[in-house]
Structures are given as structure tokens and as C-alpha cells.
Amino acid sequence: MKASKSSIRGFTLLEVMVAVGLLAFAMVSILGIVGHNVNLATRSTNYLIATSLADDIASRIDAEGLTSDSKRSGKFENYPGFEWYLTVSPYNLTQFEAKMTIISVLITWDDGEESYEISFVDSG
């Protein structure tokens, strides 16, 4: 007994091409999302490092006894690519006879493309 054309089952070339195209589109989308997530994780890690480094510099300021109106900068030995900039400037409120110092710590990385800055006021 011979099989008739209507009883032969299978996929046509067009159906296979459409399925491969949809699969390729899905894979490219997934890879794009994964790449984006890796980028976000790297940026988050760098911001966390910058926050920690800025906090470390800010905690050492009182110990050094910085003079007002000064600027310093440097690089971190343990974190290549990260640089710091410290600015100390006086801020006087003459009507209240208050002398304060504004201290700004700027951390940069990725050749200055990304940065994190913390500023605070010392009234001592």
C-alpha cells in the first residue's frame, strides 16, 4: 500500500525558516538583556566602590587638620582607574558670626566619565 500525498506529514522550508528567524530574534533579545544587566552590575559596583572611597577620605579629614581654602587630588593604589579630588573652602555667615568649612570629595573613574561627589559642612 502506497502512502498518498495527503498522509505525508512534515514541515515546509518556509515554516522552518520562520521558526529559525523567530529563534534568532529571541536569542538576540536575550543576549541584549544580559549585556545590559552586566553593564548595570558593573556601574553599581563602581558606585559602591566610589561611595566607600569617598567615605574613607571624609573620615580622614579631621585627623589631618586640613587648612581652609585648599585643594588636593590623588589616585587610589588598590583601585586603579579611580581618582579623588578634595576641595576645602571657607564659608562665613557674618550676620550669625559663624565660620564654617565646606568640604567636597569627588571620586571619578573611567577616565573621568563617571563620578560621585559628597559634600559636607564642618562647623569646627
Side-chain angles (χ1 to χ4, degrees), residues 32-49:
I33 291 169
V34 168
H36 183 69
N37 286 342
V38 169
N39 185 26
L40 287 177
T42 302
R43 289 186 71 194
S44 296
T45 301
N46 287 339
Y47 274 107
L48 184 62
I49 291 170

Side-chain angles (χ1 to χ4, degrees), residues 14-118:
L14 180 61
E15 290 171 330
V16 171
M17 290 176 57
V18 168
V20 169
L22 288 173
L23 183 62
F25 179 75
M27 292 301 292
V28 168
S29 299
I30 290 171
L31 289 176
I33 291 169
V34 168
H36 183 69
N37 286 342
V38 169
N39 185 26
L40 287 177
T42 302
R43 289 186 71 194
S44 296
T45 301
N46 287 339
Y47 274 107
L48 184 62
I49 291 170
T51 302
S52 176
L53 294 173
D55 186 49
D56 183 51
I57 289 176
S59 66
R60 290 187 286 156
I61 288 175
D62 284 337
E64 292 183 13
L66 294 174
T67 60
S68 61
D69 218 12
S70 65
K71 293 184 179 184
R72 294 184 187 177
S73 64
K75 296 183 179 186
F76 296 98
E77 293 177 14
N78 296 336
Y79 297 96
F82 284 82
E83 298 178 3
W84 60 272
Y85 302 91
L86 174 68
T87 305
V88 180
S89 54
Y91 187 76
N92 297 324
L93 295 172
T94 54
Q95 65 268 29
F96 299 112
E97 297 180 11
K99 292 184 178 182
M100 296 180 281
T101 304
I102 298 176
I103 302 166
S104 295
V105 179
L106 175 68
I107 308 293
T108 64
W109 63 96
D110 288 341
D111 295 325
E113 293 289 323
E114 299 284 339
S115 65
Y116 173 80
E117 184 173 9
I118 182 173

